Amino acid sequence: MASDRAIRIQEIAEEIRNCTLCELCRGAANPVPGAGNPDAEVMFIGEAPGMNEDKQGLPFVGNSGQFLNEMLESIGWTRDDVFVTNVVKCRPPGNRDPLPDEIMACGSHLESQIAALDPVMIVTLGRFSMAKWFQNERISRIHGEPREVGRRVIVPMYHPAAALHQPSLRETVKADMQKLPMILDAFKQKARADLETQQDNSQMKLF
Ligand code: URA
């Protein structure tokens, strides 16, 4: 039976397929809501669909997706262990960068997906998704560094396409990927310890 999260993620996907909040929907063959496990603890957020994603309506199915799959495999994860989406759900013409008003318009969909999935860890792929949390940062400075934001840990990474275009980045991206399982475990452990402390403190107030 589908979980409540799975049902909500499907509802949001339907809203995205019917969305007309910006002009990108006019040129898109298929909006790309996102894919993967709706009960995942980890969400990856890329930039925008490219040509292959637009054809299939699925995220990261081209060369970047192939590299993402290889990297996931290197840490024992598959696409079924995570949820993958983008900042912008429709392909920008000619693969240009998404514009600020397109990112803003699509932001409500991403917010809904984050709220529904409620991931423990968000991995941003590239500068556009990084900028949602860290506007004035440079990816070259903070890639691979986990940052606690509210109840979640955010890990900025280079976009897989950057590593494909600049071979010198490949090892950096792979090394950042290797850290993810440890970051996730450490963050979950800390969250459990924080919860126990809170519970102890509230019990002490009773006496
Ligand atoms: N690049 C992205 O940022 N997202 C995709 O889905 C594919 C390529």
Side-chain angles (χ1 to χ4, degrees), residues 83-120:
F83 189 84
V84 179
T85 188
N86 285 302
V87 168
V88 161
K89 315 300 189 195
C90 292
R91 183 189 184 204
N95 288 352
R96 66 157 167 75
D97 288 347
L99 302 173
D101 57 340
E102 293 160 354
I103 294 172
M104 182 112 80
C106 221
S108 59
H109 297 310
L110 183 57
E111 284 300 335
S112 302
Q113 289 175 315
I114 294 171
L117 207 90
D118 197 17
V120 177

Tab-separated table of all heavy atoms in Angstrom, residues 83-120:
chain	number	residue	atom	x	y	z
A	83	PHE	N	15.515	10.323	-3.143
A	83	PHE	CA	14.568	11.016	-4.019
A	83	PHE	C	15.358	12.115	-4.737
A	83	PHE	O	16.145	12.833	-4.115
A	83	PHE	CB	13.417	11.609	-3.210
A	83	PHE	CG	12.312	12.147	-4.071
A	83	PHE	CD1	11.327	11.303	-4.564
A	83	PHE	CD2	12.262	13.495	-4.406
A	83	PHE	CE1	10.310	11.791	-5.387
A	83	PHE	CE2	11.249	13.996	-5.227
A	83	PHE	CZ	10.271	13.147	-5.713
A	84	VAL	N	15.154	12.207	-6.049
A	84	VAL	CA	15.924	13.160	-6.862
A	84	VAL	C	14.975	14.125	-7.560
A	84	VAL	O	13.992	13.693	-8.192
A	84	VAL	CB	16.765	12.406	-7.925
A	84	VAL	CG1	17.556	13.385	-8.786
A	84	VAL	CG2	17.724	11.417	-7.264
A	85	THR	N	15.257	15.405	-7.420
A	85	THR	CA	14.441	16.400	-8.121
A	85	THR	C	15.335	17.576	-8.539
A	85	THR	O	16.551	17.502	-8.439
A	85	THR	CB	13.239	16.839	-7.256
A	85	THR	OG1	12.379	17.666	-8.050
A	85	THR	CG2	13.656	17.605	-6.009
A	86	ASN	N	14.727	18.629	-9.027
A	86	ASN	CA	15.450	19.806	-9.502
A	86	ASN	C	14.830	21.074	-8.947
A	86	ASN	O	13.656	21.078	-8.544
A	86	ASN	CB	15.384	19.867	-11.040
A	86	ASN	CG	16.308	18.855	-11.697
A	86	ASN	OD1	17.506	18.862	-11.474
A	86	ASN	ND2	15.728	17.968	-12.502
A	87	VAL	N	15.601	22.160	-8.995
A	87	VAL	CA	15.080	23.470	-8.583
A	87	VAL	C	13.948	23.893	-9.516
A	87	VAL	O	12.921	24.411	-9.100
A	87	VAL	CB	16.234	24.513	-8.635
A	87	VAL	CG1	15.706	25.923	-8.510
A	87	VAL	CG2	17.250	24.230	-7.546
A	88	VAL	N	14.154	23.659	-10.812
A	88	VAL	CA	13.167	24.029	-11.832
A	88	VAL	C	12.707	22.747	-12.518
A	88	VAL	O	13.521	21.897	-12.873
A	88	VAL	CB	13.819	25.022	-12.830
A	88	VAL	CG1	13.043	25.089	-14.123
A	88	VAL	CG2	13.911	26.418	-12.217
A	89	LYS	N	11.404	22.585	-12.674
A	89	LYS	CA	10.869	21.289	-13.124
A	89	LYS	C	10.673	21.174	-14.642
A	89	LYS	O	10.355	20.099	-15.140
A	89	LYS	CB	9.516	21.003	-12.446
A	89	LYS	CG	9.465	21.289	-10.949
A	89	LYS	CD	10.444	20.480	-10.127
A	89	LYS	CE	10.173	20.649	-8.634
A	89	LYS	NZ	11.276	20.178	-7.796
A	90	CYS	N	10.787	22.301	-15.351
A	90	CYS	CA	10.639	22.253	-16.814
A	90	CYS	C	11.953	22.683	-17.460
A	90	CYS	O	12.669	23.542	-16.934
A	90	CYS	CB	9.516	23.178	-17.277
A	90	CYS	SG	7.873	22.620	-16.770
A	91	ARG	N	12.243	22.110	-18.622
A	91	ARG	CA	13.526	22.371	-19.289
A	91	ARG	C	13.625	23.817	-19.787
A	91	ARG	O	12.782	24.249	-20.593
A	91	ARG	CB	13.676	21.435	-20.488
A	91	ARG	CG	15.003	21.606	-21.175
A	91	ARG	CD	15.058	20.846	-22.475
A	91	ARG	NE	16.395	20.974	-23.054
A	91	ARG	CZ	16.664	20.848	-24.330
A	91	ARG	NH1	15.686	20.539	-25.179
A	91	ARG	NH2	17.879	20.992	-24.781
A	92	PRO	N	14.661	24.548	-19.372
A	92	PRO	CA	14.866	25.879	-19.959
A	92	PRO	C	15.331	25.717	-21.409
A	92	PRO	O	16.115	24.811	-21.712
A	92	PRO	CB	15.976	26.484	-19.094
A	92	PRO	CG	15.999	25.666	-17.834
A	92	PRO	CD	15.583	24.289	-18.256
A	93	PRO	N	14.855	26.583	-22.332
A	93	PRO	CA	15.203	26.422	-23.747
A	93	PRO	C	16.716	26.439	-23.955
A	93	PRO	O	17.425	27.251	-23.348
A	93	PRO	CB	14.541	27.635	-24.416
A	93	PRO	CG	13.999	28.489	-23.334
A	93	PRO	CD	14.009	27.719	-22.048
A	94	GLY	N	17.187	25.497	-24.787
A	94	GLY	CA	18.615	25.432	-25.099
A	94	GLY	C	19.488	25.145	-23.890
A	94	GLY	O	20.676	25.456	-23.911
A	95	ASN	N	18.884	24.616	-22.841
A	95	ASN	CA	19.640	24.309	-21.598
A	95	ASN	C	20.264	25.536	-20.952
A	95	ASN	O	21.282	25.426	-20.276
A	95	ASN	CB	20.742	23.270	-21.828
A	95	ASN	CG	20.173	21.892	-22.038
A	95	ASN	OD1	18.969	21.684	-21.875
A	95	ASN	ND2	21.019	20.953	-22.386
A	96	ARG	N	19.668	26.714	-21.185
A	96	ARG	CA	20.212	27.900	-20.507
A	96	ARG	C	19.953	27.768	-19.008
A	96	ARG	O	19.166	26.931	-18.572
A	96	ARG	CB	19.568	29.177	-21.069
A	96	ARG	CG	18.085	29.302	-20.780
A	96	ARG	CD	17.641	30.764	-20.840
A	96	ARG	NE	16.190	30.909	-20.873
A	96	ARG	CZ	15.396	30.743	-19.840
A	96	ARG	NH1	15.858	30.348	-18.667
A	96	ARG	NH2	14.086	30.929	-19.965
A	97	ASP	N	20.647	28.634	-18.236
A	97	ASP	CA	20.428	28.652	-16.787
A	97	ASP	C	18.984	29.074	-16.492
A	97	ASP	O	18.441	29.937	-17.202
A	97	ASP	CB	21.363	29.677	-16.119
A	97	ASP	CG	22.811	29.201	-16.100
A	97	ASP	OD1	23.060	28.011	-16.366
A	97	ASP	OD2	23.685	30.041	-15.806
A	98	PRO	N	18.392	28.527	-15.447
A	98	PRO	CA	17.056	29.017	-15.075
A	98	PRO	C	17.148	30.464	-14.591
A	98	PRO	O	18.139	30.854	-13.961
A	98	PRO	CB	16.637	28.080	-13.931
A	98	PRO	CG	17.840	27.322	-13.514
A	98	PRO	CD	18.864	27.427	-14.600
A	99	LEU	N	16.114	31.252	-14.900
A	99	LEU	CA	16.100	32.669	-14.522
A	99	LEU	C	15.547	32.811	-13.102
A	99	LEU	O	14.779	31.950	-12.642
A	99	LEU	CB	15.212	33.464	-15.493
A	99	LEU	CG	15.618	33.376	-16.963
A	99	LEU	CD1	14.576	34.067	-17.849
A	99	LEU	CD2	17.004	34.005	-17.148
A	100	PRO	N	15.916	33.923	-12.440
A	100	PRO	CA	15.444	34.089	-11.048
A	100	PRO	C	13.926	33.972	-10.908
A	100	PRO	O	13.446	33.353	-9.959
A	100	PRO	CB	15.924	35.499	-10.688
A	100	PRO	CG	17.132	35.702	-11.541
A	100	PRO	CD	16.862	34.974	-12.830
A	101	ASP	N	13.155	34.538	-11.859
A	101	ASP	CA	11.692	34.457	-11.668
A	101	ASP	C	11.173	33.037	-11.932
A	101	ASP	O	10.147	32.635	-11.370
A	101	ASP	CB	10.926	35.518	-12.464
A	101	ASP	CG	11.218	35.443	-13.932
A	101	ASP	OD1	12.252	34.861	-14.295
A	101	ASP	OD2	10.408	35.969	-14.732
A	102	GLU	N	11.877	32.251	-12.750
A	102	GLU	CA	11.489	30.847	-12.954
A	102	GLU	C	11.780	30.035	-11.683
A	102	GLU	O	10.967	29.199	-11.267
A	102	GLU	CB	12.241	30.262	-14.154
A	102	GLU	CG	11.825	30.897	-15.474
A	102	GLU	CD	12.837	30.720	-16.598
A	102	GLU	OE1	13.950	30.201	-16.366
A	102	GLU	OE2	12.518	31.132	-17.727
A	103	ILE	N	12.929	30.310	-11.077
A	103	ILE	CA	13.295	29.604	-9.835
A	103	ILE	C	12.286	29.961	-8.741
A	103	ILE	O	11.820	29.098	-7.986
A	103	ILE	CB	14.728	29.984	-9.394
A	103	ILE	CG1	15.737	29.459	-10.423
A	103	ILE	CG2	15.039	29.455	-8.007
A	103	ILE	CD1	17.162	29.919	-10.211
A	104	MET	N	11.907	31.228	-8.716
A	104	MET	CA	10.943	31.686	-7.708
A	104	MET	C	9.583	31.012	-7.935
A	104	MET	O	8.977	30.499	-7.004
A	104	MET	CB	10.790	33.201	-7.812
A	104	MET	CG	9.867	33.789	-6.795
A	104	MET	SD	10.791	34.763	-5.659
A	104	MET	CE	10.983	36.244	-6.635
A	105	ALA	N	9.133	31.012	-9.196
A	105	ALA	CA	7.815	30.429	-9.504
A	105	ALA	C	7.786	28.950	-9.143
A	105	ALA	O	6.801	28.441	-8.608
A	105	ALA	CB	7.492	30.625	-10.986
A	106	CYS	N	8.874	28.255	-9.431
A	106	CYS	CA	8.913	26.809	-9.191
A	106	CYS	C	9.182	26.487	-7.721
A	106	CYS	O	9.033	25.329	-7.299
A	106	CYS	CB	9.990	26.175	-10.069
A	106	CYS	SG	9.517	24.612	-10.801
A	107	GLY	N	9.560	27.515	-6.963
A	107	GLY	CA	9.952	27.301	-5.569
A	107	GLY	C	8.861	26.672	-4.723
A	107	GLY	O	9.138	25.878	-3.818
A	108	SER	N	7.617	26.998	-5.036
A	108	SER	CA	6.518	26.450	-4.212
A	108	SER	C	6.425	24.932	-4.394
A	108	SER	O	6.106	24.207	-3.454
A	108	SER	CB	5.192	27.120	-4.576
A	108	SER	OG	4.908	26.899	-5.933
A	109	HIS	N	6.739	24.453	-5.605
A	109	HIS	CA	6.709	22.993	-5.827
A	109	HIS	C	7.815	22.306	-5.019
A	109	HIS	O	7.588	21.269	-4.410
A	109	HIS	CB	6.906	22.666	-7.311
A	109	HIS	CG	5.814	23.195	-8.186
A	109	HIS	ND1	4.477	22.988	-7.906
A	109	HIS	CD2	5.851	23.903	-9.338
A	109	HIS	CE1	3.749	23.556	-8.846
A	109	HIS	NE2	4.554	24.123	-9.728
A	110	LEU	N	9.008	22.925	-5.047
A	110	LEU	CA	10.130	22.329	-4.310
A	110	LEU	C	9.821	22.340	-2.810
A	110	LEU	O	10.054	21.346	-2.116
A	110	LEU	CB	11.422	23.110	-4.617
A	110	LEU	CG	12.699	22.571	-3.995
A	110	LEU	CD1	12.946	21.105	-4.408
A	110	LEU	CD2	13.896	23.430	-4.376
A	111	GLU	N	9.263	23.456	-2.343
A	111	GLU	CA	8.905	23.543	-0.917
A	111	GLU	C	7.912	22.443	-0.557
A	111	GLU	O	8.030	21.804	0.491
A	111	GLU	CB	8.275	24.905	-0.587
A	111	GLU	CG	9.249	26.048	-0.500
A	111	GLU	CD	10.311	25.842	0.586
A	111	GLU	OE1	10.060	25.104	1.553
A	111	GLU	OE2	11.403	26.397	0.433
A	112	SER	N	6.911	22.246	-1.411
A	112	SER	CA	5.902	21.203	-1.138
A	112	SER	C	6.560	19.835	-1.092
A	112	SER	O	6.221	18.995	-0.256
A	112	SER	CB	4.810	21.172	-2.215
A	112	SER	OG	4.193	22.405	-2.311
A	113	GLN	N	7.507	19.591	-2.009
A	113	GLN	CA	8.175	18.282	-2.036
A	113	GLN	C	9.020	18.075	-0.777
A	113	GLN	O	9.018	16.986	-0.196
A	113	GLN	CB	9.065	18.157	-3.286
A	113	GLN	CG	8.251	18.015	-4.557
A	113	GLN	CD	9.127	18.013	-5.804
A	113	GLN	OE1	10.035	18.839	-5.937
A	113	GLN	NE2	8.868	17.099	-6.719
A	114	ILE	N	9.713	19.132	-0.346
A	114	ILE	CA	10.543	19.003	0.865
A	114	ILE	C	9.636	18.745	2.076
A	114	ILE	O	9.916	17.872	2.900
A	114	ILE	CB	11.423	20.265	1.072
A	114	ILE	CG1	12.453	20.386	-0.054
A	114	ILE	CG2	12.113	20.224	2.428
A	114	ILE	CD1	13.224	21.698	-0.082
A	115	ALA	N	8.526	19.485	2.143
A	115	ALA	CA	7.609	19.303	3.283
A	115	ALA	C	7.025	17.890	3.288
A	115	ALA	O	6.906	17.251	4.336
A	115	ALA	CB	6.498	20.348	3.224
A	116	ALA	N	6.674	17.373	2.112
A	116	ALA	CA	6.047	16.046	2.033
A	116	ALA	C	7.055	14.941	2.342
A	116	ALA	O	6.760	14.014	3.100
A	116	ALA	CB	5.462	15.833	0.634
A	117	LEU	N	8.227	15.045	1.771
A	117	LEU	CA	9.249	13.999	1.966
A	117	LEU	C	9.872	14.095	3.352
A	117	LEU	O	10.217	13.096	3.963
A	117	LEU	CB	10.338	14.178	0.903
A	117	LEU	CG	11.077	12.933	0.518
A	117	LEU	CD1	10.373	12.253	-0.644
A	117	LEU	CD2	12.508	13.247	0.107
A	118	ASP	N	10.018	15.326	3.842
A	118	ASP	CA	10.635	15.593	5.145
A	118	ASP	C	11.991	14.879	5.280
A	118	ASP	O	12.211	14.109	6.233
A	118	ASP	CB	9.672	15.158	6.268
A	118	ASP	CG	10.055	15.779	7.600
A	118	ASP	OD1	10.817	16.764	7.594
A	118	ASP	OD2	9.627	15.265	8.650
A	119	PRO	N	12.902	15.120	4.346
A	119	PRO	CA	14.173	14.372	4.366
A	119	PRO	C	15.067	14.779	5.539
A	119	PRO	O	15.003	15.920	5.992
A	119	PRO	CB	14.840	14.772	3.042
A	119	PRO	CG	14.292	16.125	2.739
A	119	PRO	CD	12.881	16.139	3.270
A	120	VAL	N	15.889	13.832	5.988
A	120	VAL	CA	16.875	14.138	7.031
A	120	VAL	C	18.019	14.935	6.403
A	120	VAL	O	18.525	15.887	6.977
A	120	VAL	CB	17.439	12.823	7.633
A	120	VAL	CG1	18.516	13.117	8.667
A	120	VAL	CG2	16.326	11.968	8.224
